[in-house]
Amino acid sequence: MTFPHSLTSITTERETIEQLLAIGTALSDCLNLTELLDLILSKSREITCSDAGSVYLVDQSDSEQKLIFKAAQTDSLPNISVQLKSIPLNPKSLAGYVATTGKILNIPDAYALGDDVPYKFDRHFDLEFNYRTVSVLVLPMQNREGETIGVLQLIDRKIQTDLQITPENALSITQPYSEWEQQIVRSLASQAAISIERNHLLESIEGLFAGFVTAAVQVIENRDPSTAGHSERVANLSVRLSQEVNTVDTGMLKSIRFSDRQIQEIRYAALLHDFGKISIPEAIVQKGKKLYPHQLTELSYRFNLLRRTWELECAEQKFTYLLSSPLGHHHQSGDNCLHCGYLQQLERDLTARLDRLQSYWELLNKLNQPDVVCTSEFTEKLDEIVTDLQQLAQYTYRDLDGNFQPLLTPAEIEQLLIPRGSLTAAERLIVESHVSHTYDFLRKIPWTKHLKYVPNIAVSHHEKLDGSGYPQGLTASEIPVQSQIMTIADIYDALIASDRPYKPRLSLDRTLAILRQEATAGKIDSNLLALFEQRQVYAIVDNRING
């Protein structure tokens, strides 16, 4: 519907009502505050044929209330830039008077105010831009409770839309605002107030939710300090890559476009993609080596106990021998004393056994490091290492109850032979379940329609295009492109992040090489990765990775 430029073109009440309804619908559909205020001002000016206007909002964020100048429009000066500023919330200005009293000001000539009014017209704008303000209509924008939340100010009602106002012609081409126009704009101001208050409420809700997301991320990272900042970095990388996708006009990505709301959706999904880790035992989340610290401590106790047992057994053998073979009766002088030789052999046997045990202990500590089994040093000697572990498994020690126990259990051997990382197959499944926990949590949140896909995006960030990912084993056509974007960001940050207990930090070149390998293997999208590299999306977190 088109809006007439003056009330003189409105011939019936029905047309006026239809026009106001159309404006109300437009206001209801506008969610951005800046756009909303511009819309309020432009429609108010259209319906009254005003050359200029401005909108103020009441600011109660601190102890001193004020009016914030939020929007301004002037047809006769379309190219000027007006600095948005604040004015005191008192009756000394036109807007301040209306805001504090709730009364409407309908002034035929702003330069002809009497001395008996508390307000004054500020001529700074007119002087600076060679303008002339004549008629002014200032109305409060009040919410349902009658509280003034803003002020709408219309300036210079023209007799014809296309006229340009100058100081010379202003008095001849402008006219006062009529009572009818005042009533119509008052109705519009009420609609505007409701829309502004709704917008504020939405912003408050979004702010509240943003605070919740921040707190949720903090909870996750507090459980594993080594990953601090990971969720925020993945979110930043995902958003930037999404924005870069929006600029592509050739190739496979040219048909993909994300709205601002969709990019916000991607950000929330990325921030919360690991929230399910809150359900994973902390010991597993923070497991940096193949054996848990308490396991290694227990093994150390066993080894020390076995050492002391052997030393005690050797001492008992010596004592028994000496009792049965008193030195005074059997000791032979010189180096060929059989008694001394026997005692020395006991010492040599003990030393050999202790040295062998120490070598086993050193082997266990090396095997306890993540990925060590994959190094050339170990792969070349893997059979020998397995044999050593099998032999070690035959060693026993006597526990406090006097029962013999294996020095190294089968479960511990399995852990030490983990080929990659620090987790057993069972532990890895537990960690991977964090994705399902994340989804179960996120789907219980009553998302708005603009954010309803957050759970689906987050749950798919470990899926691979070839179906080898988890938790559902989705293939390319089933994985949201937003999740594919997040996958690249997640892998990138996991590889290049600062050292973690279970892996060293990789260089940028090595990280990108691994990502290329994943793309070549058909696991991540090669077009998205190429864009990630070409546009240097990773530079958004480059302050962390230099050097």
Side-chain angles (χ1 to χ4, degrees):
M1 161 174 247
T2 59
F3 297 92
H5 297 297
S6 169
L7 285 178
T8 58
S9 62
I10 299 178
T11 58
T12 65
E13 275 189 33
R14 180 176 178 181
E15 289 176 350
T16 304
I17 293 172
E18 287 178 351
Q19 188 175 19
L20 289 174
L21 289 175
I23 294 174
T25 300
L27 294 178
S28 299
D29 292 338
C30 190
L31 297 177
N32 180 279
L33 180 59
T34 299
E35 295 176 0
L36 176 63
L37 297 178
D38 284 338
L39 182 63
I40 291 169
L41 188 53
S42 64
K43 295 307 179 185
S44 299
R45 289 175 52 243
E46 279 185 23
I47 206 169
T48 57
C49 198
S50 297
D51 184 68
S54 54
V55 175
Y56 298 84
L57 293 183
V58 176
D59 181 13
Q60 300 178 337
S61 59
D62 52 36
S63 58
E64 183 179 350
Q65 295 185 349
K66 51 186 175 290
L67 285 173
I68 305 295
F69 188 37
K70 299 293 290 187
Q73 297 171 1
T74 308
D75 283 345
S76 297
L77 300 169
N79 299 319
I80 65 169
S81 176
V82 180
Q83 182 180 4
L84 302 183
K85 57 183 180 180
S86 63
I87 60 175
L89 187 60
N90 60 47
K92 295 182 180 181
S93 63
L94 302 186
Y97 176 82
V98 170
T100 54
T101 65
K103 297 179 179 179
I104 297 174
L105 288 179
N106 191 338
I107 303 171
D109 187 349
Y111 283 24
L113 295 176
D115 295 331
D116 58 339
V117 294
Y119 46 82
K120 301 296 180 184
F121 176 72
D122 187 347
R123 301 189 184 187
H124 283 93
F125 178 87
D126 288 9
L127 294 173
E128 182 177 355
F129 296 103
N130 194 33
Y131 190 75
R132 172 63 161 96
T133 299
V134 186
S135 55
V136 181
L137 178 62
V138 193
L139 306 98
M141 293 189 291
Q142 297 176 323
N143 60 21
R144 292 183 179 88
E145 288 74 36
E147 299 171 336
T148 299
I149 63 172
V151 172
L152 174 62
Q153 181 172 271
L154 301 176
I155 296 171
D156 284 344
R157 178 193 173 210
K158 296 184 291 187
I159 60 175
Q160 189 175 318
T161 304
D162 56 356
L163 296 176
Q164 299 292 306
I165 292 179
T166 67
E168 293 74 25
N169 68 10
L171 289 172
S172 62
I173 67 172
T174 62
Q175 56 188 328
Y177 289 92
S178 69
E179 182 67 25
W180 175 247
E181 286 172 314
Q182 179 176 311
Q183 292 177 12
I184 293 299
V185 178
R186 182 177 183 179
S187 174
L188 181 56
S190 297
Q191 293 184 63
I194 294 172
S195 296
I196 291 171
E197 191 167 49
R198 182 206 60 195
N199 188 276
H200 284 161
L201 179 60
L202 288 174
E203 286 185 345
S204 297
I205 293 173
E206 289 184 357
L208 179 65
F209 183 72
F212 161 75
V213 171
T214 300
V217 171
Q218 188 66 49
V219 169
I220 301 166
E221 295 183 345
N222 284 346
R223 299 186 79 238
D224 186 8
S226 67
T227 63
H230 170 70
S231 296
E232 182 68 33
R233 292 191 298 270
V234 171
N236 290 339
L237 289 166
S238 299
V239 167
R240 177 58 62 86
L241 184 52
S242 302
Q243 292 169 337
E244 294 296 341
V245 168
N246 278 351
T247 68
V248 176
D249 53 13
T250 60
M252 299 294 291
L253 300 177
K254 67 179 182 180
S255 62
I256 302 174
R257 290 293 181 269
F258 300 111
S259 67
D260 290 343
R261 285 290 182 174
Q262 286 176 311
I263 289 179
Q264 183 186 39
E265 191 175 50
I266 292 170
R267 175 169 179 78
Y268 280 146
L271 285 171
L272 295 169
H273 75 283
D274 276 343
F275 188 79
K277 286 185 177 178
I278 199 169
S279 301
I280 308 302
E282 193 167 334
I284 295 179
V285 171
Q286 297 184 5
K287 189 182 183 189
K289 297 184 179 180
K290 298 176 183 179
L291 296 175
Y292 292 102
H294 74 272
Q295 288 181 293
L296 193 62
T297 300
E298 186 179 335
L299 265 176
S300 176
Y301 289 154
R302 294 182 210 160
F303 271 69
N304 286 332
L305 179 58
L306 188 56
R307 289 189 188 96
R308 298 298 175 263
T309 299
W310 285 350
E311 290 170 352
L312 181 59
E313 288 176 349
C314 181
E316 288 177 346
Q317 285 179 304
K318 289 180 182 179
F319 183 68
T320 300
Y321 180 78
L322 291 174
L323 286 179
S324 61
S325 306
L327 291 179
H329 295 164
H330 303 288
H331 177 64
Q332 301 173 4
S333 60
D335 297 331
N336 298 321
C337 176
L338 295 177
H339 302 293
C340 294
Y342 179 75
L343 295 177
Q344 291 169 357
Q345 184 60 46
L346 290 177
E347 281 290 340
R348 286 193 292 271
D349 291 345
L350 174 63
T351 299
R353 295 174 74 189
L354 292 176
D355 288 346
R356 182 63 172 165
L357 190 63
Q358 181 61 28
S359 69
Y360 282 141
W361 177 250
E362 293 171 359
L363 173 62
L364 294 186
N365 278 278
K366 288 181 180 179
L367 287 174
N368 195 33
Q369 305 303 315
D371 296 341
V372 70
V373 176
C374 297
T375 62
S376 57
E377 175 188 356
F378 278 81
T379 52
E380 294 171 359
K381 301 179 181 179
L382 187 57
D383 291 341
E384 178 183 340
I385 291 171
V386 172
T387 299
D388 285 342
L389 290 177
Q390 290 173 342
Q391 292 176 351
L392 181 57
Q394 304 303 313
Y395 283 54
T396 59
Y397 70 97
R398 195 186 296 271
D399 62 20
L400 294 177
D401 295 325
N403 300 317
F404 286 101
Q405 304 291 346
L407 186 63
L408 190 65
T409 67
E412 291 163 345
I413 294 176
E414 179 187 356
Q415 287 176 256
L416 292 168
L417 289 177
I418 295 171
R420 187 175 299 279
S422 60
L423 301 178
T424 64
E427 290 167 341
R428 190 167 297 281
L429 287 175
I430 293 174
V431 170
E432 290 178 356
S433 72
H434 83 273
V435 181
S436 298
H437 292 309
T438 295
Y439 179 73
D440 290 340
F441 167 74
L442 295 181
R443 69 185 180 87
K444 294 177 181 176
I445 295 176
W447 300 95
T448 65
K449 65 178 182 179
H450 302 290
L451 299 172
K452 64 181 179 180
Y453 293 116
V454 167
N456 298 81
I457 296 171
V459 75
S460 301
H461 75 278
H462 278 298
E463 300 287 358
K464 299 296 174 63
L465 304 187
D466 61 357
S468 63
Y470 63 89
Q472 300 177 76
L474 302 180
T475 55
S477 62
E478 301 170 302
I479 305 172
V481 67
Q482 297 96 320
S483 302
Q484 297 180 36
I485 287 172
M486 198 197 309
T487 297
I488 292 174
D490 189 44
I491 295 174
Y492 175 85
D493 190 73
L495 292 174
I496 207 168
S498 301
D499 290 351
R500 294 181 181 176
Y502 48 85
K503 76 160 194 68
R505 163 184 170 180
L506 300 184
S507 68
L508 175 60
D509 289 342
R510 179 60 182 146
T511 297
L512 294 176
I514 292 175
L515 283 168
R516 289 188 214 108
Q517 292 171 6
E518 290 286 285
T520 301
K523 296 184 179 298
I524 62 176
D525 189 278
S526 58
N527 296 297
L528 288 172
L529 178 60
L531 186 66
F532 184 85
E533 286 196 70
Q534 292 166 5
R535 304 289 179 87
Q536 296 187 354
V537 172
Y538 49 79
I540 195 171
V541 291
D542 194 51
N543 61 315
R544 255 187 335 101
I545 62 176
N546 287 332

